[in-house]
Structure formats: C-alpha cells, structure tokens
Amino acid sequence: MKKNNPSYSNGGRFRDNLATRHRAGVIWQIVFQASTVIGIIALTALLLNIIDGAFGYVAYEARVDPASLAVDGVAIEDLPQELLVEILRQNLSSGAFNKLDNEIPFNERSRINVYDLVIERIVRYDVTESWTLRESLTQGAEIRARVIEEYPDAELRFISWINAEFIQRPQSSEAVNAGVRTAILGSLLTILVTILVAFPLGVGAAIYLEEYALDNWLNRLIRTNINNLAGVPSIIYGILGLAIFVRVLGVLTSGAVFGSVDPTTASGRTVLSAGLTLALLVLPLIIINAQEALRAVPQSLRQASLSVGATKWQTVWSHVLPNAIPGILTGTILAVSRAIGETAPLIVVGASTAISFDPNIFSRFTTLPIQIYQWTARPQAEWRHLAAAAILVLIVLLLSLNATAIVLRNRSTKRF
Amino acid sequence: MRKHLFVPLFAILITSLVLAACSASPVATEEPVVMTEQPTEALPDPLAGYLPENTSGEIITAGSSTVFPLSERMMQRFEEEGFTGAITIDSIGSGAGFERFCVNGETDIANASRAIKDSEVESCQSIGREPIEFRVGTDALAIVVSRANDFATDVTRLELAAIFSTAETWSDVRPEWPAEPILRFIPGTDSGTFDYFVEEIFDEDEAPILSASNLQLSEDDNVLVQGVLGSPYAIGFFGFAYYQENAGALNVLAIDGVAPTAETAESGEYPLARPLFIYSTAQIMQEKPQVAAFIYFYLTNVNYEIVDVGYFPASQEALEAAVDAWYAAVGLQP
Amino acid sequence: MPGKKEAAQGTGYPVRKEGLRKRRRVGETIIQSLLFFAGFFSIFTTLGIVYELGKEALLFFRTPEVDPWEFLTGTSWQPHINEFGILPLATSTFITSLIAMTIAIPLGMAAAIYLSEYASHKVRRTLKPILEILAGLPTIVYGYFALMFVTPLLRSLFGNDVVQIYNMASGGLVMGILILPLIASMSEDALNAVPRALREAAYGLGATKLEVVLKVVVPAALSGIAAAIIVGISRAIGETMIVAVSVGAGPNFTFNPFQSAETMTGHIVRISGGDLSYDSIDYNSIFAIGLLLFFITLTLNIVSQRIVRRFREVYE
C-alpha cells in the first residue's frame, strides 16, 4: 500500500488490521490442521488396536503327538503319500474317510494336501494360549519362558492370524482351522444386491427431487421423509425387511418361484432378502448425498443445455449427471461402506451364524460383521484374534471397493 | 496409471466370486452319496440309516448363543464324519429360537439355554408341533471376584442372595469383610443366565436383584469380565468358560463349600449348573432323517467335544434319557 | 445436409409444422414417471416401518400394566417388574448423542475445511478415502475400542471412583470418532462444490484465506454441511453396537456421563438377541421404543429442514 496516497487515508489502521487478520488466519489454520490430526490420531489408535490383535505369539498343543504316528521310525513329514493315506484310513471313521475320498479321490490329491489332512484331522493342533502383538513384541522372552515351563509339549510360533488360508477356508469351530470364505462370499453377494438396487433407485430419486420436482406439499413430504429415513436405527430396517422380504415376498426371495430350490424347504432368509433390506437402509443416504451433488452443479450448465434445445432428460443425462458423479459416488461409497459393516438388521432378517456351504443369491448366508460379532463374544482369546483378522479382511474389502469408486471419481472431478 | 487397474480388477474379483458362488450349486440338491462298497453287515442295524454318511439334505437350526459354539462343533464333526447335506445354525437367543421353531415353524431344531416355557409349548402345539427336549450339556455359572479381592473365597446361598440384593457393603454380608460398597456385574435381564440365577437364588422374583444399588448389567460376558477386573470390591456371575479363560485374573467363589468343577457340575452338587438343550419334534425327525441322524450324533458324541468348547457334560442319566427319547421319537427299540 | 443448413440459416430455427409449441415426448414422460416412482418409493418404506412397528407397539400399549402417559414420563424402566418409563433410555440416548456430536461436529467440520481449502491435493486424495473406509467398520469394533481403550483412559484421567466401567462418556466419545469421518467427508464434498469464482471474487476484494473460507465458502456450502450434520445426528441416535458394548445394559436414570445407562437402541438389540420369550412384554416393548425413536428422528428432521431452508444460499 502506498503510504502517502490520499485515497488510503486510513492506511495505517488498515495495515494494523491486516496483521491481525493474517494472524487470525494462521491461528485458524493451525486449529483446522490440529482437528484433522486429532481425528487421524483417534482413528489410528483404533486401527492399531485391531492390528494388535491380528498378529502375535501362539502356543499350540497337538491332541495326538505327531511322533506317535511315525511309521518304522520315519516321521510323518517324510512319509510317502500312500502311507499317509493309510494313517488316515486307520484313524478316521469309514464315513469320514469315504467322504474325503468322494470329494477328491486320494490318488488324485497331492502329497501336501494329504499331509495337511493328517495334521488337521488326526494330529489336531489346538491353541493353548495366544498373545497380542504388543505383548509379543515387548515380553517375548517371558512368553517363551512361560511356554517352556507351563506347556512343555506346546509349540510356540509367531503368526499372522490373517493369511491366505484364513481367507480360503470355510468356517470352523476350531480356531486353528477357522476361515472366512463363506462370510466373504456372503458379504460380497449381499452388497452386490444392495448396490444394484439402491444405486439406480437412489440416484433416480435424487434426480427427481432436484431436477423435476416442483415445490409442492407432496415433494416436500418426500424430501422430509427421506431425511427422516436416514436417521431410522438400522435394526428397525431389519424388522421391516423381515416382514416384507422374508415373509410377504418369501416366494420370490427364496427363489422358489424360479424353481432353483426345493419349495418345501424354501425360506426367505436369503442373500437376496438381506441385500434388499440393506438397500432400503442405504437408499436415503444415497439420495441425500446425490441431491447435494446435483445441487452443486451450476444452473448455467442446465440453462446452456436447455437453450440449445436439449430436452430435460438430455440435459440431466449429458450435462448435469456427469458433473455430479463425483459427489454421488462419494455418497454411495459412504453408504455402501456402512451397509457392509451392518450387523443388527441382518441378524433380524436371519443371517445364519454358521453355515456349512458356500452361499448363492437364494441360499442362507453369513457375513463378515456377523462372524466378527460372534467371535468377539466368545470366551477364548484366540477368537478375538480371529475377529481382528476378519476386521482386516473387511478393511481390505472396503479398500478395494473404494479404490474402484475413487478412480471413477478422480477421473471426473471438476471445479467451477 | 496403476490406479486405473483397480476398476477392472475389482470387477473381475466381484464377477469371479459371484460365478464361484453360483456354480457351487446348493449341496442340498446333490445326490446323496451312496457307498458301493458299504459293508453288508451294517445293513441289519436299524441305526445304519442314521449314520452321518448315509444321510443328506437340509438341517436348519436356530437359538441360544450359549449353545451355539457347541452345536457348531457338533455340526463340524457331523460333516467330517461324512454328512453331505447343508446345515445352518443361527445364533439369535433362546427366545427368538423358540419363536422360529414354535410360531413360524421354520426350523428343525431349536437350541436353548433354558427349558421351553409352557406358553411356547402351546404355540408349538397350535402349529402341530410337539417339542421333544434333549439335554446336551451343562453350563455352570461362576460367581467371580477379582484376584485383588483377598477376603471372599466362598459364600452360602443366603449370603449370595444378600450380595446381589439388599447388602450395601461387603461388611453387611459378613462383619469381618471390609465396609466397602459392593459393585455388582450381572448379565442382562433377557439372558438365560440372568433368568436362571434369579430362579435359583431369588425364587423367580426379579425385584430384589434389579433394585440393588451399584448394579451394572451387560449382555456380553466378556464385558462383564472387564467390569469385575476393575475393582477388588466387584463381584459378578457369568458362564464358567469366561472365568476359565481369565482364571489368572479372577477368583471363583465356592457356594456352600462346593467349588464349580467338572465333577461337581456333572453330579449336580454345584448349585448353579444350568442345563443346555436342543429341541425337535418326532414328526420332523421322521420326515427328515438327517435331523434325527444329527441329533443322534449330537447326543452320542457331545461328551467328546463339550469340555473343549467350554462347558460341562450333562449327567449320564440325562444323556441316556435323551437317547431314549430319541429312540421313542424315531420309533426304534433301543 | 447442406439444404437443411440453408433452411436453418433462413429462419434461425428449423421450423416444422407444429412450430415451437411444446411437443409431448413419450420417452421423457416415461423417464419422469420412473424418476417420480424412485422418489416416491421411500414413502412405502416409511409406511412399512410405521405399520410393522405400530402393529406390535399396539400390543404393548394394550397391556393393562402399561399406561401411555407413564411410558413417556416415568423415570424407571424395568419391564420385568412392570415399570415402563422410557425416560432413562431416552436421556442416555440424548447424552451419548450429545457427546458424540460435540466431538464430531467441530472436529469433522474443521477437518473438512482443512482438507478442502488448505490441504494439498495429494493429502486430500490420501486422507479422504481412509476416512470413508473407517465409516464402514462394523461398529462392534468401535464398541470394544471404547470399552478396552477409551474407558481405561477416562478412568486414569478422572479416577476410578468417578468413572464407572460402563459409562456414557466413552460410548459417546467413540461414537463421535465414528461420525467424525462421516461429517468430514460429506462436508468436504459440499465445500468442494462451492464455485471457484466465489472464492476468487472474495480474494479479489482483498479477503484473507480465512475470511474467504469462513465468510464465503462455508456459508455457501451450508446446506450441504447441514445435511452432513443431520445424517451424523441421526446416525448417533440410531447407533447400536457401540453403546450396547460400552455404555452398559442397565437402564439408569442419570445425567452423569460417567455413569452407566442404556440407550433405546441398546435396549432394542439386547432384547431382540436375548433369551426372553417372544410373547413377553419386554419383547413387545422394543417395538414401542422403535416407534418412539422413529418419531424423535422425524421431529428432529422437520426442525432441521426448516433451519436449512432458511439459511440455504443458492449460487450460480
């Protein structure tokens, strides 16, 4: 500022003021930054808490000493396949042995596979005690000493509870053999149904409300109603889903209509019902977010399009939607992330806690959060480690879902 | 650029999983596996039809979250022994389990950590189901205090009633105990554990325990453990398995001089041993032999697994009575 | 083509017989009715909820022991001994939500402002998805975090005698942490959507960055921010598993955040997952509570919508 310019007669005050304004700016910037950091710290603590449970020392004890299975002094690790099969034949009931043979004949299995069966079905390792990551890192020596003293037969290993086998294996009632395959499949299928239903319906509703709806009582009612539905506790959606999808539409949701299941045992407590229930749950969230995104599209764009003779729908489809997509996707990610983590409504709709088969759209199912919920409630500590591992699996699942949406979003982000 | 791979990758992931899920047709519709080399001497045995490898189809069970780990274990063993059908177990609470069994009639077996109520039997009958009870095990309630509590080691039933109702401080129960307020940690009012405790200690009258001061309830036993650990003057009760898992930090109290152990729980000497049941009906068991087979397998093998799951075996007589009930239901002579 | 072009040049528009009158377009009408249906669909959801809850709640209110007036004003909730006062459950829902929002609104908005206006593009692109992922963790995870981490922290800060092992404060705090990313992410979108021209105009007038942010951008994005806050509050009121694990399961009538209590949702999930018989009065009571919860959020929404409409600013 030029000091002696007469038009800035109060230049001195202006400058003083400027310094204050800049100081305020710096202080507030620090406040904003600090808030973000505080938020991140809290969430990091949460994540560390999960990671703490997913790794650590485990002491195993075998029910049958592997040494006792040795044949002529050859340990089972070195036995040929035929002898391993023979061990299975002798130690398993005929029913169990025949079932394994029926699934994949023993002569077609690999030696490693047969060896694993011997370990899993006959040796049967059990978790004696387990430790968290923090304990394992800070008290490693004490843990080792304790295991030698208290469980002389036990084997101590540092493991990651989350590993390839954990993801591939179906559920099990023994922590050593437990896996999340059925739960992952259940979660993915459910969420697929949810997205397919809720995304078009939600975006459609938002377009109607933002682009077409006049400001009359009906549309105001619809708007208020949607905002209200966003706040209804999720368990209430479960009650609704039970009444509508499981009971009233049971013929449809059980797949009996399509002849894919035996009608006498058909039940509406299926993946389809769960997916539809979650769709109802996330629909208002998607609509609210999509509305905000549509609202942010400048009016001039619409006017430009309309003025060159485009119809309303052409304007919406070719000009408004492409510009609103980033916001719509953010909302959808948030909503779908929430749906993946939901437990309560699925319990009401009838997610099974244990199933013995891989789910399809018309079958009963279980999901990751239900598995996690169930495992955390058990007395033995090893289940909580498994729960932590399952949470990490869920995070990876969410990450890959987000990555997809973020790519879509970043491609089309524009600022006006 | 690498980011852009996510879209196709994720799409492929989803599609492949869906395909994998769809191509695995429901096991229930598969042909039952028939052993061609089935030993002929097994044929005359009427039980052969109820061996796991000779049955298939769907078994739907729902109910108590306490019985759940046990049923899950039995389901796994049943499958390992050759069963090729599909089993589901829903852990939804005994009450909800009976609702699905007696009102909607959609399950084959109800798991319960309490005996069926008369009103529930009536609803069952009104849809033509006559429930049969099978005792499968025992869950002892452990009365626990923190390790830091160095005065209480055993209590009488009367003292127990005082501790969980009118007594304000520990010295109100026994003069030699400290004059510190009692902090109480108990399972939620809708749990079978609470129900059972009130029935045994307070003659089904819930008012005294619910009007006690410093009362903390939680539906999650792991959460109760945390509560009791918090203070030397805390006391709580929950399933024995939760005590066992935290035995290093908790002390269990003996009641009238009887400590909860496998022997005292099995013999009925320990007063707070709660029965675990499964329920089905004769009609279901006859129409769906796989259900009968599962129950038979359950009753005859449960004692090999129950301790590992964290409960105590039912008494020999109770299990034998259950097996007899099974024979009667399927119409065979023991 | 050239012929048409000439025609257009002659009249300015390719005028056909019907002239410039609005034509009926079947496609447009179909699309519009489909969109209307999508919008109207949510009404069915509401009707379904009210019908389902109402049906069972009626059973509850018809029970002779239950007096609707006492239901709304009673301060003791023990259905087992015929005490049906909803206030203990309602206050604890209110207190936990209040604590959660005290954490989540300022922190969430500040984080949103930082991400949208101050942070570099790279930081924003990394942090935002992380925030969004955390919104998807099963809330039981947050529940155990509250019980095993936050409660001990509170107890070491304020003393074991003051803070009970189950308390509303830790549940509320963690609920705030859960809702923070939700508010931050949605508000950031709203801030980001404010036209750049507005900011530039403000800078042009000599405003500092802070002034641009607080006096121009935030007011312009207010409707979006308000929507985020409303969704956040609704989520807090409806949140179940966190409070079920960390707040306790005993309906205490208290305003002390360091004491245990039970929220309305906590009660619903406890009863629906428990061992109680389905024909008991407890069981029916959860539908009455659900209905009440529904009307509470309804009132809240109507009020907040009024507010939003008043402050909403439309920019080009």
Side-chain angles (χ1 to χ4, degrees):
Chain A
M1 300 297 128
K2 286 168 199 155
K3 213 174 189 178
N4 44 10
N5 189 327
S7 63
Y8 290 102
S9 56
N10 55 354
R13 268 170 61 203
F14 177 81
R15 219 168 347 162
D16 289 350
N17 207 2
L18 191 67
T20 328
R21 283 163 66 199
H22 276 302
R23 214 173 306 126
V26 171
I27 292 170
W28 276 93
Q29 182 171 359
I30 293 170
V31 168
F32 294 144
Q33 215 157 356
S35 306
T36 315
V37 171
I38 291 173
I40 291 168
I41 289 175
L43 294 165
T44 314
L46 178 79
L47 275 180
L48 285 179
N49 235 26
I50 298 166
I51 291 170
D52 190 35
F55 305 89
Y57 276 121
V58 180
Y60 294 105
E61 270 179 322
R63 288 205 187 174
V64 173
D65 184 5
S68 71
L69 293 173
V71 181
D72 301 329
V74 183
I76 52 168
E77 288 90 342
D78 304 322
L79 283 178
Q81 184 162 355
E82 303 80 63
L83 286 176
L84 289 173
V85 172
E86 201 44 46
I87 290 177
L88 282 174
R89 193 195 303 278
Q90 281 164 13
N91 287 283
L92 292 178
S93 72
S94 68
F97 184 81
N98 287 335
K99 187 184 180 192
L100 290 172
D101 200 28
N102 268 321
E103 284 168 1
I104 308 171
F106 279 110
N107 49 24
E108 286 172 25
R109 288 174 188 257
S110 69
R111 192 191 156 274
I112 294 296
N113 179 276
V114 177
Y115 176 74
D116 286 345
L117 279 175
V118 172
I119 295 293
E120 189 186 316
R121 302 289 283 273
I122 300 167
V123 176
R124 287 176 73 184
Y125 280 105
D126 254 354
V127 176
T128 320
E129 201 169 338
S130 53
W131 291 267
T132 63
L133 182 62
R134 208 177 51 213
E135 288 165 345
S136 303
L137 291 180
T138 55
Q139 309 160 19
E142 290 127 77
I143 291 172
R144 278 188 290 276
R146 210 185 118 154
V147 169
I148 292 168
E149 187 189 328
E150 284 185 35
Y151 320 110
D153 299 330
E155 184 188 338
L156 185 70
R157 258 186 275 168
F158 185 90
I159 64 155
S160 157
W161 288 91
I162 176 170
N163 52 46
E165 288 187 350
F166 177 68
I167 293 165
Q168 288 161 8
R169 270 191 307 235
Q171 292 170 294
S172 168
S173 65
E174 289 149 321
V176 184
N177 299 321
V180 284
R181 190 183 66 191
T182 36
I184 293 179
L185 286 173
S187 275
L188 279 180
L189 284 173
T190 314
I191 220 62
L192 193 71
V193 174
T194 306
I195 295 175
L196 288 181
V197 175
F199 185 70
L201 207 55
V203 176
I207 292 175
Y208 170 75
L209 290 175
E210 283 308 308
E211 307 291 329
Y212 288 87
L214 305 168
D215 192 23
N216 58 24
W217 67 270
L218 178 65
N219 295 323
R220 272 203 298 275
L221 177 76
I222 292 176
R223 225 166 258 149
T224 314
N225 179 49
I226 287 167
N227 281 328
N228 185 43
L229 283 177
V232 173
S234 55
I235 194 161
I236 290 178
Y237 282 99
I239 295 173
L240 181 70
L242 176 71
I244 296 181
F245 301 125
V246 177
R247 302 248 189 278
V248 179
L249 300 177
V251 199
L252 221 72
T253 50
S254 65
V257 149
F258 310 102
S260 70
V261 289
D262 175 10
T264 53
T265 58
S267 147
R269 299 184 192 273
T270 58
V271 171
L272 188 58
S273 294
L276 292 173
T277 306
L278 290 184
L280 288 188
L281 172 78
V282 298
L283 198 55
L285 297 177
I286 293 183
I287 297 175
I288 290 175
N289 279 299
Q291 270 182 284
E292 282 304 321
L294 290 170
R295 227 172 268 165
V297 175
Q299 206 59 36
S300 55
L301 250 161
R302 295 187 184 83
Q303 287 156 354
S305 168
L306 290 172
S307 68
V308 296
T311 64
K312 189 116 190 167
W313 177 246
Q314 285 164 343
T315 306
V316 169
W317 182 252
S318 321
H319 298 279
V320 180
L321 263 188
N323 283 302
I325 270 294
I328 293 178
L329 283 175
T330 306
T332 312
I333 300 169
L334 275 169
V336 169
S337 300
R338 176 165 177 206
I340 292 184
E342 272 301 341
T343 322
L346 293 188
I347 291 180
V348 181
V349 172
S352 302
T353 325
I355 59 171
S356 61
F357 48 87
D358 286 345
N360 63 44
I361 291 284
F362 293 123
S363 73
R364 303 174 65 99
F365 66 101
T366 184
T367 67
L368 274 172
I370 289 190
Q371 215 36 230
I372 292 164
Y373 179 51
Q374 215 280 317
W375 280 343
T376 49
R378 294 208 183 183
Q380 293 87 3
E382 56 261 32
W383 295 107
R384 285 195 284 287
H385 296 302
L386 285 171
I391 293 166
L392 290 181
V393 171
L394 189 72
I395 291 179
V396 172
L397 200 70
L398 287 166
L399 264 174
S400 49
L401 198 69
N402 273 25
T404 317
I406 288 162
V407 171
L408 294 175
R409 182 167 74 192
N410 287 350
R411 268 190 185 168
S412 46
T413 301
K414 282 179 194 165
R415 260 194 191 190
F416 293 99
Chain B
M1 274 304 110
R2 209 187 303 143
K3 293 184 302 186
H4 295 257
L5 282 175
F6 275 122
V7 186
L9 271 183
F10 189 72
I12 290 168
L13 176 77
I14 293 260
T15 348
S16 57
L17 280 165
V18 171
L19 285 178
C22 295
S23 60
S25 60
V27 198
T29 56
E30 270 173 27
E31 287 288 305
V33 182
V34 181
M35 300 301 127
T36 42
E37 70 274 24
Q38 198 65 45
T40 40
E41 63 267 27
L43 280 178
D45 183 356
L47 282 176
Y50 298 110
L51 285 177
E53 69 253 44
N54 295 344
T55 51
S56 183
E58 208 173 7
I59 304 175
I60 300 171
T61 78
S64 164
S65 49
T66 313
V67 182
F68 171 77
L70 186 61
S71 284
E72 188 195 27
R73 176 64 64 86
M74 297 320 293
M75 157 183 128
Q76 194 179 334
R77 290 280 165 271
F78 190 60
E79 289 196 315
E80 284 175 3
E81 292 304 311
F83 179 67
T84 51
I87 312 181
T88 57
I89 310 173
D90 297 7
S91 167
I92 53 176
S94 305
F98 281 127
E99 184 175 8
R100 286 200 198 166
F101 185 74
C102 290
V103 179
N104 306 317
E106 54 182 298
T107 54
D108 302 320
I109 297 173
N111 299 325
S113 56
R114 60 165 169 82
I116 191 167
K117 292 190 169 128
D118 291 342
S119 61
E120 288 161 340
V121 174
E122 279 162 28
S123 0
C124 255
Q125 284 162 341
S126 69
I127 63 160
R129 286 187 160 193
E130 191 66 55
I132 305 174
E133 180 177 287
F134 302 99
R135 172 83 182 266
V136 291
T138 307
D139 179 23
L141 298 196
I143 311 287
V144 295
V145 293
S146 147
R147 262 282 147 96
N149 177 328
D150 52 6
F151 48 91
T153 53
D154 67 285
V155 286
T156 65
R157 285 177 78 119
L158 278 177
E159 284 171 341
L160 202 56
I163 288 174
F164 283 104
S165 58
T166 49
E168 282 290 319
T169 63
W170 284 93
S171 56
D172 293 345
V173 184
R174 265 189 221 177
E176 66 263 34
W177 285 350
E180 295 282 345
I182 304 173
L183 309 175
R184 307 168 174 90
F185 292 88
I186 67 168
T189 49
D190 65 321
S191 68
T193 323
F194 175 85
D195 238 24
Y196 179 76
F197 187 82
V198 168
E199 192 182 311
E200 288 296 310
I201 304 295
F202 294 104
D203 267 337
E204 301 191 16
D205 182 8
E206 286 159 345
I209 185 165
L210 288 180
S211 36
S213 57
N214 289 324
L215 186 70
Q216 305 259 4
L217 299 99
S218 175
E219 56 177 324
D220 185 334
D221 285 359
N222 279 319
V223 172
L224 289 174
V225 170
Q226 296 304 317
V228 177
L229 286 176
S231 160
Y233 307 110
I235 187 167
F237 63 89
F238 37 75
F240 190 79
Y242 291 86
Y243 156 70
Q244 216 170 15
E245 202 49 33
N246 298 283
L250 296 172
N251 283 340
V252 65
L253 303 188
I255 302 170
D256 292 329
V258 184
T261 61
E263 293 76 43
T264 55
E266 200 179 337
S267 66
E269 237 182 301
Y270 183 68
L272 292 177
R274 155 170 87 119
L276 305 176
F277 302 106
I278 59 175
Y279 287 84
S280 190
T281 73
Q283 201 193 352
I284 297 172
M285 288 161 67
Q286 282 160 12
E287 282 170 7
K288 290 178 144 185
Q290 71 270 25
V291 174
F294 180 58
I295 296 176
Y296 184 75
F297 182 84
Y298 204 132
L299 297 174
T300 48
N301 289 284
V302 66
N303 280 2
Y304 299 116
E305 303 290 344
I306 194 162
V307 175
D308 193 49
V309 176
Y311 303 123
F312 297 115
S315 70
Q316 205 52 46
E317 302 87 72
L319 271 180
E320 274 165 19
V323 173
D324 287 343
W326 183 87
Y327 275 107
V330 295
L332 289 178
Q333 292 300 316
Chain C
M1 276 301 146
K4 240 183 186 171
K5 204 176 174 188
E6 274 165 73
Q9 271 168 349
T11 56
Y13 284 101
V15 183
R16 291 194 199 154
K17 241 185 188 170
E18 55 271 49
L20 284 173
R21 261 185 306 131
K22 201 176 171 185
R23 269 188 300 141
R24 278 183 66 83
R25 293 172 202 264
V26 182
E28 290 281 318
T29 319
I30 291 174
I31 285 169
Q32 187 164 353
S33 25
L34 278 178
L35 292 175
F36 174 75
F37 169 76
F40 196 73
F41 184 80
S42 62
I43 301 275
F44 294 122
T45 312
T46 306
L47 290 179
I49 288 174
V50 171
Y51 174 75
E52 278 303 318
L53 293 178
K55 200 176 60 177
E56 305 281 335
L58 209 62
L59 283 180
F60 172 74
F61 285 116
R62 277 207 185 133
T63 325
E65 290 86 11
V66 181
D67 167 26
W69 179 244
E70 193 209 302
F71 175 74
L72 289 175
T73 57
T75 56
S76 172
W77 178 267
Q78 285 298 1
H80 281 243
I81 43 182
N82 286 332
E83 289 176 349
F84 303 98
I86 194 75
L87 281 183
L89 302 178
T91 50
S92 95
T93 292
F94 174 73
I95 291 168
T96 48
S97 305
L98 192 71
I99 296 171
M101 296 325 284
T102 323
I103 299 290
I105 292 178
L107 285 185
M109 282 202 37
I113 291 173
Y114 175 74
L115 285 181
S116 162
E117 307 297 321
Y118 291 90
S120 71
H121 188 57
K122 210 172 164 190
V123 172
R124 201 169 75 87
R125 240 181 30 192
T126 334
L127 281 183
K128 212 172 165 217
I130 294 178
L131 293 180
E132 281 160 13
I133 282 168
L134 288 162
L137 288 186
T139 49
I140 180 84
V141 178
Y142 288 85
Y144 271 91
F145 178 67
L147 179 72
M148 313 292 269
F149 187 84
V150 178
T151 301
L153 199 72
L154 288 177
R155 297 189 94 181
S156 64
L157 284 177
F158 298 99
N160 282 358
D161 305 332
V162 181
V163 186
Q164 291 187 344
I165 178 98
Y166 316 134
N167 61 73
M168 293 187 276
S170 81
L173 284 173
V174 172
M175 210 146 78
I177 296 176
L178 168 81
I179 293 165
L180 192 160
L182 190 82
I183 290 187
S185 184
M186 280 179 74
S187 307
E188 200 271 340
D189 274 334
L191 293 171
N192 208 19
V194 173
R196 183 173 282 173
L198 264 173
R199 293 185 180 83
E200 281 156 4
Y203 283 128
L205 289 172
T208 64
K209 181 145 198 170
L210 178 75
E211 287 158 355
V212 173
V213 170
L214 288 188
K215 295 182 180 158
V216 176
V217 182
V218 170
L222 205 61
S223 98
I225 292 174
I229 292 175
I230 294 167
V231 169
I233 295 178
S234 302
R235 180 93 202 254
I237 292 176
E239 177 45 47
T240 312
M241 296 319 293
I242 295 179
V243 288
V245 168
S246 67
V247 175
N252 287 347
F253 184 59
T254 172
F255 289 96
N256 181 346
F258 294 131
Q259 287 193 344
S260 79
E262 180 171 45
T263 65
M264 294 159 89
T265 49
H267 184 76
I268 293 179
V269 79
R270 176 162 72 89
I271 298 298
S272 61
D275 287 327
L276 263 183
S277 173
Y278 48 86
D279 57 0
S280 68
I281 192 160
D282 290 47
Y283 194 77
N284 293 335
S285 77
I286 68 175
F287 295 94
I289 295 173
L291 202 62
L292 187 65
L293 216 47
F294 184 83
F295 284 123
I296 290 177
T297 46
L298 182 70
T299 322
L300 225 123
N301 272 299
I302 292 173
V303 171
S304 55
Q305 266 206 310
R306 285 270 153 83
I307 298 172
V308 171
R309 204 176 306 162
R310 176 173 293 177
F311 289 104
R312 183 165 163 195
E313 300 189 27
V314 182
Y315 292 97
E316 176 30 59

